[in-house]
Amino acid sequence: PQSRQLIGYMPLTDQDKRKQISVRGLAGVENVSDLKTNFNRHLHFTLVKDRNVATKRDYYFALANTVRDHLVGRWIRTQQHYYEKDPKRVYYLSLEFYMGRTLQNTMVNLALENACDEATYQLGLDMEELQDIEEDAGLGNGGLGRLAACFLDSMASLGLAAYGYGIRYEFGIFNQKIVNGWQVEEADDWLRYGNPWEKARPEYMRPVHFYGRVEHTPEGVKWVDTQVVLALPYDTPVPGYRNNVVNTMRLWSAKAPCDFNLKDFNVGGYIQAVLDRNLAENISRVLYPNDNFFEGKELRLKQEYFVVAATLQDIVRRFKSSKFGSTEVVRVDLSTLPDKVAIQLNDTHPAMAIPELMRILLDTEHQKWEKAWDICTRTCAYTNHTVLPEALERWPTDLLQNLLPRHLEIIYEINRRHLESIAKLYPGDHDRLRRMSLVEEGDQKKINMAHLCIVGSHAVNGVARIHSDILKATLFKDFYEVDPHKFQNKTNGITPRRWLVMCNPGLAEVIAERIGEDYIRDLDQLKKLLAFVDDDSLIHDIAKVKQENKLKFSAYLEEHYKVKINPNSMFDVQVKRIHEYKRQLLNCLHIITLYNRIQKEPNKNWTPRTIMIGGKAAPGYHTAKLIIRLITAIGEIVNHDTVVGDRLKVIFLENYKVTLAEKIIPASDLSEQISTAGTEASGTGNMKFMLNGALTIGTMDGANVEMAEEAGEENLFIFGMRVDDVDAMDKSGYDAMDYYNRIPELKQAMDQIAGGFFSPDQHDLFKDIVNMLLHHDRFKVFADYEAYIKCQEKVSALYKNPKEWTKMVIHNIAGCGKFSSDRTISQYAREIWGMEPSLERIPAPDDPRQ
């Protein structure tokens, strides 16, 4: 554990005081003594333990409950404030919220960190040790789920009346173990010891219907003979940054109704009926572990409709019961819904919100179609996250017909009217009608969920400028031509609270000493650092913080993974989901090339590197799992080579997750962002590395393009084909064998992989990878190999000049302002939701009522 600041035990210099106030909050005497009192109270009354029998986990729960107490008053007050003011509310619907740990983030946002540190110290405990007991809330796969978490932080920090709605998975993303070099999955039983941050709300339980059939009666349409599953909400507080706002993330859990399977009085079937309750409750059992891949399973469709149906009931209830000017009147008419409600669909996963909202408006509220459709489209907006065809959701109509028959009818009617309007605009253009239909004909009829989202929303956005441009030019071209105003860009961002202040307090401090601490709320202020780019003291301080972070991470690796690394080497890091398009294989080819060069000229002055690669492979993705095995195999050879010594080490980081990202990113020197141009919609890890003082080697893909624009292209290591080059190559044809035969170092590396140099016990272990790279590589690894190797040589050369390297780092940090999720959310609010963000504080619970 890091050495503590002994606040209150040492005379404070002015600089110490600034430190203490700026990032970690004040440790006032009363504050500390209150925290100790409440800690002991929770240990006694909540956990029913005394100090003789309490475990480390008990102490964690006592601390968590003590910190949670500071949220409760603000949480109640915030919700009361919204009820009084009746603002427009935004509902962020997502199948994933990748939250990570909550304790430290809550302390940061409530300015309690120093006080808790001091209180636990006085109690003879180590706060960092207690923080390490908390389980990650791993309710996401990667970028899309973590983006939702960053957005919640920004929406609260900007004072928006916002709600995150999703599923309370009993098992989140699997834990990854590496056994004999292979990935092995283990269930993530994150709720085993209980979750102190959630509050069950059984009083808001909602029924969700499945199966059944549709009856068209004179009184209207009825969906009957359905099976009911109950949705039980669990609320988690989402604190804004020091503004006394606490919003809500509401996650639904599936419960079988009491009479489940018992109404069909099958004699003697009572025990079986009770056991079968599990079938209903399986809906919220486990997160599907696929990133950028669609698996059309019935259980997944059930999950998607479950979250949507429960959430929409909640939205309508809250809309109808909310106060507007007077207490007596209750809204009965949903025609003003778009003025008070915005629904953002995080990818197509919650797309069923569109037919479900239509079903409510038509069948329950008895609106006419035209009016209902107007309400629906003005309320909903859709964010696209990928252009990879295998990731796009296409649900078979027979599955929908069985599970959600009324919704399929509504989708067909949406499509009929949509195609009618297109036919008016383009008479006789049957191919266009086929391309734009929500229904795809073929061996199996399918519903294209992206098309449903575009037609049913008033705004569609990509997540980086280049991605949004690609959508308009390719995937959604026909729709863009009909309705160009619908298409927008909202470049992703990250919250600087978690991704700087919390995970890298040393750097946050160094920055605050130069430009004050307002940048934490307004990240654009980082450009003030440009005035100090030649300041030797800043250069020294930034380099020193990086070195301290590297030493700390080296110690962590040694303790947890039993590997010793050279902390003076360049930490070259690629952490993200394992996927062919992210091109971990290109990284592997560089490693092998570097290894071969050191072998060839062992006496040359090589820049030492520790190359770390981490990330999970979807359990069913064979190639991705084999890529992990290749990385571990390369490590086995390289790391035991005495000629190479500590000039090159290769480490696979096991079980990469939010909490590991918070440790590795502040310690990284080089960030690998090397996807084939046009495949990574945005990326957000790239932004986290940039903010934490790493330099980027990358292609002109996703947000890398805008990072280069903000920091200056000369301050990133950009290489390889641009989108236009990739398009040209798709037309002319990509011939991997040509590169293989033309580039000796590439041929050598491939022959080593193919010939068993890295798998002496099984020479053909990697034949599938070799075959893919040589004969059907969609992502053109070889085409960028030479440019990548050359670019890596430039990286190595600059690293030998620490001062110039650090100056480049300062340019990067100073260019980070745009990549705050506060900026992203402000743009969603103003340009899509029709809301105005605010940096005002609301009154604290102990303030007199305003």
Side-chain angles (χ1 to χ4, degrees):
Q2 65 189 25
S3 60
R4 304 183 54 272
Q5 302 171 341
L6 293 180
I7 304 299
Y9 286 78
M10 291 152 70
L12 294 176
T13 65
D14 281 345
Q15 189 175 335
D16 286 337
K17 279 191 188 124
R18 186 162 70 239
K19 254 190 183 153
Q20 182 196 336
I21 291 161
S22 111
V23 194
R24 290 170 56 97
L26 272 166
V29 180
E30 321 75 24
N31 218 348
V32 170
S33 123
D34 281 354
L35 287 166
K36 286 163 66 181
T37 304
N38 285 317
F39 180 95
N40 286 321
R41 181 175 57 82
H42 277 297
L43 195 61
H44 188 81
F45 288 102
T46 310
L47 297 158
V48 198
K49 290 280 185 98
D50 62 39
R51 296 285 308 249
N52 301 310
V53 293
T55 63
K56 284 267 155 51
R57 178 167 276 104
D58 292 319
Y59 293 135
Y60 158 68
F61 277 108
L63 178 58
N65 277 289
T66 304
V67 170
R68 179 181 161 279
D69 288 347
H70 288 257
L71 284 169
V72 171
R74 291 175 172 91
W75 197 5
I76 291 170
R77 175 70 74 93
T78 302
Q79 300 311 312
Q80 213 168 348
H81 176 79
Y82 293 153
Y83 181 77
E84 303 287 338
K85 294 271 183 287
D86 193 32
K88 187 168 186 179
R89 291 168 158 91
V90 59
Y91 295 93
Y92 196 83
L93 268 61
S94 182
L95 270 279
E96 303 185 19
F97 286 94
Y98 204 174
M99 302 294 283
R101 289 176 179 167
T102 296
L103 176 58
Q104 194 185 354
N105 185 246
T106 304
M107 294 190 298
V108 165
N109 281 11
L110 264 43
L112 283 171
E113 216 176 351
N114 265 328
C116 288
D117 204 358
E118 184 54 39
T120 49
Y121 177 75
Q122 289 182 21
L123 290 163
L125 299 165
D126 175 1
M127 190 161 78
E128 243 189 272
E129 213 178 301
L130 299 187
Q131 283 169 180
D132 264 332
I133 290 166
E134 182 175 358
E135 299 274 0
D136 273 41
L139 307 185
N141 278 286
L144 172 148
R146 182 56 234 176
L147 186 79
C150 284
F151 279 3
L152 292 183
D153 181 272
S154 286
M155 290 186 290
S157 296
L158 292 168
L160 295 171
Y163 303 77
Y165 273 91
I167 296 177
R168 180 181 177 267
Y169 300 107
E170 197 177 320
F171 297 92
I173 187 64
F174 60 86
N175 284 312
Q176 179 192 58
K177 290 271 191 291
I178 302 298
V179 179
N180 301 324
W182 295 95
Q183 166 177 301
V184 175
E185 300 87 23
E186 237 172 41
D188 165 42
D189 192 6
W190 72 291
L191 294 168
R192 182 173 47 230
Y193 297 105
N195 174 5
W197 305 106
E198 69 183 8
K199 176 73 185 81
R201 298 279 188 207
E203 66 275 26
Y204 293 119
M205 192 131 61
R206 299 273 167 258
V208 176
H209 297 262
F210 293 103
Y211 303 107
R213 55 193 173 78
V214 182
E215 282 181 357
H216 292 262
T217 72
E219 297 79 60
V221 183
K222 301 226 179 354
W223 179 19
V224 298
D225 295 342
T226 56
Q227 291 182 22
V228 175
V229 177
L230 299 175
L232 170 63
Y234 285 78
D235 289 356
T236 299
V238 179
Y241 183 71
R242 301 184 189 183
N243 62 354
N244 296 319
V245 170
V246 180
N247 284 341
T248 302
M249 174 177 67
R250 175 163 284 181
L251 302 180
W252 301 100
S253 184
K255 280 291 273 171
C258 294
D259 62 1
F260 185 78
N261 267 13
L262 289 167
K263 23 192 190 317
D264 339 308
F265 50 102
N266 34 2
V267 183
Y270 165 71
I271 294 289
Q272 195 52 46
V274 174
L275 298 185
D276 286 345
R277 293 169 60 85
N278 280 316
L279 275 56
E281 295 173 0
N282 277 337
I283 290 175
S284 56
R285 194 79 68 203
V286 59
L287 168 74
Y288 272 83
N290 304 315
D291 188 74
N292 274 295
F293 183 78
F294 171 57
E295 186 174 357
K297 294 279 192 284
E298 184 182 48
L299 181 62
R300 170 67 173 195
L301 182 56
K302 277 185 176 167
Q303 290 181 340
E304 293 182 355
Y305 179 65
F306 175 75
V307 64
V308 151
T311 300
L312 274 165
Q313 290 179 67
D314 230 19
I315 291 173
V316 170
R317 174 192 57 79
R318 200 175 282 119
F319 170 79
K320 284 186 171 179
S321 67
S322 62
K323 185 172 147 178
F324 59 120
S326 83
T327 39
E328 303 85 67
V329 194
V330 178
R331 293 196 182 107
V332 280
D333 186 5
L334 292 194
S335 57
T336 60
L337 192 76
D339 305 328
K340 287 294 178 185
V341 170
I343 295 174
Q344 191 67 36
L345 307 175
N346 194 24
D347 213 311
T348 57
H349 310 149
M352 292 306 294
I354 291 166
E356 173 66 6
L357 181 53
M358 285 299 285
R359 187 188 69 80
I360 293 167
L361 292 166
L362 297 167
D363 301 355
T364 311
E365 301 290 326
H366 304 293
Q367 297 268 7
K368 289 268 174 289
W369 181 280
E370 289 73 14
K371 181 66 188 163
W373 185 243
D374 176 65
I375 292 169
C376 179
T377 53
R378 285 169 47 220
T379 302
C380 297
Y382 158 56
T383 302
N384 172 275
H385 283 272
T386 183
V387 297
L388 294 183
E390 63 268 35
L392 299 176
E393 294 198 294
R394 297 178 162 94
W395 287 106
T397 52
D398 52 14
L399 199 61
L400 282 161
Q401 179 64 250
N402 182 36
L403 192 71
L404 300 167
R406 176 59 179 144
H407 296 78
L408 185 60
E409 281 189 356
I410 290 168
I411 290 167
Y412 282 149
E413 180 61 14
I414 292 170
N415 194 44
R416 190 188 66 75
R417 290 167 179 257
H418 158 62
L419 290 182
E420 202 171 77
S421 73
I422 300 300
K424 280 203 186 92
L425 292 169
Y426 301 92
D429 192 343
H430 296 297
D431 200 53
R432 182 179 299 265
L433 290 181
R434 181 191 56 75
R435 291 197 310 268
M436 294 182 75
S437 178
L438 311 193
V439 183
E440 296 182 353
E441 308 286 348
D443 314 345
Q444 197 183 32
K445 266 174 62 161
K446 292 179 176 171
I447 304 299
N448 182 314
M449 301 307 273
H451 290 184
L452 173 61
C453 286
I454 295 166
V455 173
S457 299
H458 70 279
V460 175
N461 72 280
V463 290
R465 189 175 60 220
I466 189 176
H467 166 59
S468 297
D469 289 344
I470 288 169
L471 288 180
K472 294 187 289 193
T474 59
L475 197 63
F476 301 154
K477 179 171 187 282
D478 294 322
F479 294 91
Y480 175 66
E481 285 170 7
V482 170
D483 208 348
H485 296 296
K486 193 176 270 195
F487 292 82
Q488 303 188 21
N489 173 245
K490 295 287 170 280
T491 299
N492 284 163
I494 58 174
T495 171
R497 273 73 64 180
R498 183 175 291 264
W499 296 111
L500 179 59
V501 179
M502 186 184 121
C503 71
N504 201 344
L507 181 57
E509 221 40 91
V510 165
I511 295 169
E513 282 165 15
R514 305 310 194 285
I515 66 171
E517 55 171 310
D518 283 354
Y519 74 90
I520 297 169
R521 267 194 199 74
D522 176 15
L523 207 63
D524 280 322
Q525 293 191 30
L526 287 177
K527 50 175 163 292
K528 294 179 185 169
L529 288 173
L530 289 174
F532 300 90
V533 76
D534 295 312
D535 178 321
D536 284 335
S537 84
L538 180 65
I539 292 170
H540 167 268
D541 287 357
I542 295 236
K544 178 166 171 279
V545 165
K546 179 62 72 180
Q547 200 50 40
E548 286 167 358
N549 291 339
K550 288 173 71 173
L551 285 165
K552 190 172 178 186
F553 189 69
S554 301
Y556 171 83
L557 276 187
E558 222 176 306
E559 188 190 342
H560 290 85
Y561 299 97
K562 311 286 175 251
V563 277
K564 236 180 134 36
I565 54 174
N566 171 10
N568 298 312
S569 63
M570 183 201 308
F571 284 12
D572 169 347
V573 180
Q574 186 177 24
V575 283
K576 51 190 67 236
R577 286 296 291 254
I578 310 293
H579 202 297
E580 288 161 85
Y581 87 84
K582 293 177 186 283
R583 298 203 295 190
Q584 282 90 357
L585 287 171
L586 184 57
N587 196 342
C588 289
L589 290 173
H590 172 246
I591 298 172
I592 296 171
T593 302
L594 202 51
Y595 171 77
N596 289 332
R597 287 180 177 185
I598 296 171
Q599 288 284 6
K600 198 172 165 191
E601 302 181 78
N603 299 320
K604 208 174 139 185
N605 178 23
W606 298 99
T607 305
R609 290 200 191 213
T610 302
I611 301 177
M612 302 183 235
I613 304 178
K616 291 174 183 174
Y621 188 175
H622 168 253
T623 305
K625 291 186 135 177
L626 200 51
I627 290 169
I628 291 174
R629 185 64 190 94
L630 177 61
I631 297 162
T632 57
I634 293 169
E636 283 158 26
I637 300 295
V638 170
N639 299 346
H640 296 109
D641 192 301
T642 46
V643 175
V644 171
D646 67 359
R647 292 179 291 184
L648 180 60
K649 289 278 181 256
V650 180
I651 295 177
F652 186 85
L653 296 169
E654 190 174 270
N655 204 32
Y656 179 64
K657 56 181 174 172
V658 173
T659 294
L660 186 53
E662 292 162 4
K663 293 175 169 44
I664 180 70
I665 291 172
S668 301
D669 292 307
L670 186 66
S671 161
E672 300 267 357
Q673 307 296 334
I674 58 178
S675 55
T676 311
T679 62
E680 188 73 89
S682 167
T684 44
N686 47 3
M687 302 166 189
K688 292 161 195 171
F689 282 101
M690 183 183 187
L691 183 58
N692 281 278
L695 296 183
T696 301
I697 185 168
T699 51
M700 276 298 201
D701 198 18
N704 297 357
V705 178
E706 290 161 82
M707 286 163 51
E709 195 175 289
E710 295 295 304
E713 196 170 331
E714 69 281 5
N715 293 309
L716 278 78
F717 296 97
I718 297 290
F719 73 93
M721 297 182 291
R722 310 302 203 249
V723 169
D724 291 344
D725 305 315
V726 175
D727 289 344
M729 188 170 287
D730 282 328
K731 289 196 180 73
S732 66
Y734 164 64
D735 181 10
M737 290 306 294
D738 175 52
Y739 296 93
Y740 171 83
N741 290 316
R742 199 164 42 73
I743 307 163
E745 286 185 304
L746 173 59
K747 183 177 193 302
Q748 182 188 6
M750 287 303 295
D751 290 350
Q752 286 169 307
I753 296 170
F757 181 85
F758 297 105
S759 51
D761 297 336
Q762 192 187 332
H763 285 357
D764 67 349
L765 181 59
F766 301 115
K767 65 173 186 300
D768 290 352
I769 284 180
V770 172
N771 184 43
M772 180 273 289
L773 285 172
L774 289 172
H775 305 297
H776 44 89
D777 174 12
R778 296 165 57 202
F779 302 105
K780 307 177 177 64
V781 170
F782 293 1
D784 277 338
Y785 170 83
E786 271 181 305
Y788 182 54
I789 300 295
K790 283 202 180 75
C791 197
Q792 287 282 21
E793 290 166 12
K794 282 169 54 188
V795 174
S796 289
L798 186 66
Y799 194 75
K800 286 200 169 75
N801 184 342
K803 185 168 178 179
E804 288 307 308
W805 179 278
T806 307
K807 282 166 84 162
M808 197 178 275
V809 164
I810 294 167
H811 277 283
N812 273 266
I813 297 171
C816 269
K818 176 177 184 177
F819 305 107
S820 168
S821 47
D822 296 346
R823 186 269 317 152
T824 310
I825 287 298
S826 296
Q827 290 183 329
Y828 275 95
R830 295 188 177 114
E831 299 164 26
I832 297 180
W833 303 332
M835 300 166 76
E836 194 48 44
S838 142
L839 287 175
E840 268 175 79
R841 279 190 176 74
I842 66 170
D846 42 17
D847 288 2
R849 291 305 301 265
Q850 297 294 308

